Amino acid sequence: MTEAEARAGICSAGVEMVRSGLVAGTWGNLSLRCDGERIAISPSGFDYLAMGPGDVVMVDLFTGTAEGGRPSTEKELHLEIYRRRPEVQAIVHTHSQSASTMAAVRREVPPILDDLAQIVGPSLRVADYAIPGTKSMARRVLRALSGRMAALMANHGAIALGRSMAEALLCATIVEKGCRVFIEAEFLGGAQRLGRFEARLMHEVYLRKYSRRGPERAG
């Protein structure tokens, strides 16, 4: 991906996050792996609907040096994920309603839906709380993401990964849907979870089968 493509991708994805209700105001952040040495990341405290390609910040993947502005305060978290997860090409950090509710009660979401198991993994874990923007948060979120494509961040929000920005946004959307359904199902007598083996198998099949077809055709 060229720098121009990465900058444009961040802008269009930012608009999509707002319009789909995944974030409000200037909360949340997103990034794209640009090449083997840099990432493109949303600027700190910037209105997504007003953001242009020139506002996107380029960050060195190895040194963390930023070019062209002040990057999101979650820069360190994004960098650590890209360094540890070479398959990840895009990251979306959201503050959607139901995901934030589950993050506030610090409760793991079991695999209650096929699409949740397929895209996220065998469960949606909650990373232990740490002050946003710190290396401690990055370490705790990485642990929660082990074997998963998304995680909740205690008392904070959610983070979703993708092998493309489209997949990262889809993952964030499924996280919000899964959290909402879980909350509603608990009020109706309790959500019934899929078996651990079936959930893990569906995730593996999704990753292998749809990696060639694209996330938009999964289902």
Side-chain angles (χ1 to χ4, degrees):
M1 179 176 293
T2 67
E3 180 177 328
E5 290 171 334
R7 288 178 178 273
I10 292 294
C11 292
S12 60
V15 172
E16 178 63 25
M17 282 208 309
V18 173
R19 290 181 175 171
S20 60
L22 294 173
V23 295
T26 62
W27 297 103
N29 41 71
L30 67 166
S31 66
L32 269 169
R33 194 190 292 268
C34 179
D35 48 42
E37 299 181 350
R38 295 180 301 166
I39 67 168
I41 191 169
S42 53
S44 178
F46 213 98
D47 184 343
Y48 294 105
L49 299 181
M51 183 171 58
D55 301 311
V56 176
V57 183
M58 304 304 297
V59 179
D60 188 286
L61 182 58
F62 304 102
T63 67
T65 303
E67 301 175 11
R70 187 159 63 99
S72 166
T73 54
E74 302 292 358
K75 177 191 74 173
E76 194 64 36
L77 172 59
H78 288 249
L79 289 174
E80 281 302 307
I81 292 172
Y82 286 121
R83 290 165 183 162
R84 304 288 184 88
R85 301 278 297 268
E87 81 280 12
V88 173
Q89 301 298 313
I91 299 171
V92 174
H93 169 43
T94 70
H95 289 256
S96 55
Q97 183 68 44
S98 298
S100 295
T101 297
M102 293 304 299
V105 298
R106 303 187 183 186
R107 188 171 176 185
E108 182 172 327
V109 180
I112 56 170
L113 298 171
D114 288 345
D115 51 9
L116 186 66
Q118 288 170 358
I119 296 173
V120 172
S123 67
L124 179 62
R125 297 192 186 110
V126 184
D128 293 337
Y129 183 79
I131 295 174
T134 63
K135 291 186 176 181
S136 177
M137 170 176 268
R139 289 194 299 269
R140 294 176 183 189
V141 172
L142 276 167
R143 283 199 295 269
L145 283 170
S146 178
R148 310 290 191 274
M149 293 298 282
L152 299 175
M153 301 158 70
N155 302 92
H156 191 76
I159 190 160
L161 318 181
R163 294 163 294 180
S164 67
M165 181 56 78
E167 186 174 62
L169 288 169
L170 174 63
C171 187
T173 300
I174 295 301
V175 164
E176 173 61 15
K177 173 190 172 184
C179 289
R180 185 178 70 251
V181 169
F182 183 66
I183 293 168
E184 293 173 353
E186 289 295 277
F187 276 105
L188 293 174
Q192 300 299 308
R193 62 178 295 160
L194 300 170
R196 188 177 301 275
F197 172 77
E198 288 81 2
R200 189 173 298 278
L201 178 62
M202 281 193 285
H203 184 53
E204 290 300 321
V205 169
Y206 171 83
L207 291 177
R208 295 177 183 179
K209 183 176 181 180
Y210 293 111
S211 62
R212 297 180 180 179
R213 296 171 58 190
E216 68 279 358
R217 295 182 61 184

